[in-house]
Amino acid sequence: MSAPAKRLVLRHRQDRRVRGGHPWIFSNEVDRLEGAPAPGDLVEVADDRGAFLGRAYVNPQSLIAARLLTRGRDEVDAALFAKRLERALRLREAALPGERAVRVVYGESD
């Protein structure tokens, strides 16, 4: 028997910011956590109707209860982070050719 999926379900009408592109989910937007996720666990994020919105890591003890890592069903693994770091570096190289000192990663914007 498999363990139940870990999932964060948003309260009614609290999906607008996430659908609009914001990566943070605040604790007052959360209806419930399913599967007893511990701080730092990955969860699937769903709206109040059960529609999938993405994958996030969760901290039920924080004002920012979850931070989206992907809006798809991508596997969250080292390859995902490597791909994103490479993309961020390419963007900086294109914007600032020849520059030797740049911030490669800038928080949630990358």
Side-chain angles (χ1 to χ4, degrees), residues 57-68:
Y57 63 91
V58 68
N59 185 352
Q61 301 164 349
S62 174
L63 177 61
I64 300 173
R67 296 173 194 251
L68 273 128

Side-chain angles (χ1 to χ4, degrees), residues 25-90:
I25 298 170
F26 292 99
S27 58
N28 65 329
E29 298 170 326
V30 176
D31 180 48
R32 65 186 179 278
L33 290 168
E34 299 174 351
D41 280 353
L42 289 173
V43 294
E44 290 196 353
V45 177
D47 67 14
D48 64 307
R49 297 174 313 272
F52 178 85
L53 298 174
R55 291 194 170 139
Y57 63 91
V58 68
N59 185 352
Q61 301 164 349
S62 174
L63 177 61
I64 300 173
R67 296 173 194 251
L68 273 128
L69 297 171
T70 178
R71 295 177 188 283
R73 296 185 187 273
D74 306 306
E75 191 66 34
V76 178
D77 57 11
L80 175 76
F81 289 103
K83 181 173 74 172
R84 290 188 177 177
L85 288 170
E86 289 168 5
R87 182 177 61 205
L89 185 56
R90 282 194 312 272

